[in-house]
Amino acid sequence: KQEVTQIPAALSVPEGENLVLNCSFTDSAIYNLQWFRQDPGKGLTSLLLIQSSQREQTSGRLNASLDKSSGRSTLYIAASQPGDSATYLCAVLALAGNQFYFGTGTSLTVIP
Amino acid sequence: EAQVTQNPRYLITVTGKKLTVTCSQNMNHEYMSWYRQDPGLGLRQIYYSMNVEVTDKGDVPEGYKVSRKEKRNFPLILESPSPNQTSLYFCASSSVQGRDQPQHFGDGTRLSIL
């Protein structure tokens, strides 16, 4: 069964710092990997989606990479801002069964 | 506006009293799904549907039922709720069977079963 792990569970950084969030998964048989943002009391907002055949995706200050063979993905946030404070979740879509598996998230706080 | 709408947003009820959480999307998406989110466990998939009249179990289907009679609606039914189903529930949808398009999530339903 697919297991998705995110480290660290919580992260606090000063404004302006570049940072990296990590996601690892145990089974490389995936369609894609997605990164989401969750604000308190809200649903999830999709940030980036990487197909299994791709290595990375970029959107503004965000860059996500995927190394399927090693079961790892990273989300790089450049020049962090207080508005980036949220919980970041990664999820993989398994090839078998079309199921999604989520990590438990990294809670990010950007200090002004 | 493209959206996934869940109702109710909050519900406190008692053990054994049947309840339904509705989910509706206006994006003509084929794929719809229900998740529960619990502290320390993250989001876990309950049921998903690839299209009308097609549903499959996720990781934690016990105690839940779903139906997909129309493309836009995917209600979650708890026939005899128990306290261990107290959780935050999310509905999501995506197009092209979710494989190359991101999922869109509703704002969540917080259920408390006493």
Side-chain angles (χ1 to χ4, degrees):
Chain A
K1 178 191 162 185
Q2 179 75 265
E3 290 185 9
V4 182
T5 305
Q6 290 185 248
I7 295 173
L11 182 63
S12 184
V13 300
E15 182 176 1
E17 192 162 296
N18 302 326
L19 58 101
V20 174
L21 307 181
N22 297 295
C23 172
S24 62
F25 48 96
T26 55
D27 188 344
S28 62
I30 63 171
Y31 279 114
N32 62 49
L33 183 143
Q34 299 180 45
W35 282 94
F36 295 88
R37 168 187 174 134
Q38 185 176 24
D39 293 286
K42 295 286 189 181
L44 281 69
T45 301
S46 179
L47 297 173
L48 289 164
L49 181 150
I50 310 175
Q51 298 287 2
S52 61
S53 58
Q54 297 174 323
R55 297 286 291 184
E56 66 178 323
Q57 283 285 338
T58 298
S59 176
R61 294 182 294 108
L62 305 180
N63 176 277
S65 68
L66 174 65
D67 184 343
K68 197 175 71 162
S69 61
S70 68
R72 293 181 182 180
S73 176
T74 60
L75 179 67
Y76 175 83
I77 302 177
S80 58
Q81 303 170 357
D84 295 330
S85 298
T87 296
Y88 291 81
L89 298 126
C90 67
V92 297
L93 176 57
L95 275 174
N98 287 294
Q99 279 187 247
F100 282 93
Y101 294 91
F102 279 80
T104 51
T106 294
S107 177
L108 173 66
T109 302
V110 180
I111 304 165
Chain B
E1 179 190 352
Q3 59 185 5
V4 178
T5 303
Q6 296 179 227
N7 281 297
R9 291 290 314 279
Y10 304 92
L11 180 63
I12 301 174
T13 187
V14 296
T15 299
K17 186 176 181 182
K18 181 179 178 180
L19 66 92
T20 298
V21 185
T22 63
C23 174
S24 180
Q25 50 94 4
N26 63 0
M27 295 165 279
N28 201 35
H29 285 166
E30 298 88 0
Y31 189 99
M32 295 188 74
S33 181
W34 276 103
Y35 300 88
R36 60 178 289 173
Q37 185 175 33
D38 301 289
L41 297 176
L43 272 87
R44 293 177 292 168
Q45 197 166 25
I46 303 171
Y47 270 95
Y48 62 96
S49 170
M50 301 287 282
N51 215 323
V52 176
E53 301 292 359
V54 180
T55 62
D56 285 288
K57 295 178 181 179
D59 257 2
V60 287
E62 296 79 19
Y64 305 94
K65 284 177 60 177
V66 293
S67 67
R68 187 91 182 273
K69 293 185 170 59
E70 304 166 282
K71 199 172 188 179
R72 63 182 292 126
N73 296 322
F74 191 44
L76 179 69
I77 302 158
L78 285 71
E79 298 233 328
S80 184
S82 62
N84 65 11
Q85 293 177 298
T86 293
S87 187
L88 179 58
Y89 290 85
F90 288 103
C91 180
S93 73
S94 59
S95 67
V96 199
Q97 302 184 346
R99 295 174 188 178
D100 60 355
Q101 297 293 322
Q103 288 190 91
H104 295 256
F105 278 76
D107 284 339
T109 295
R110 188 167 291 280
L111 282 183
S112 293
I113 316 294
L114 305 177

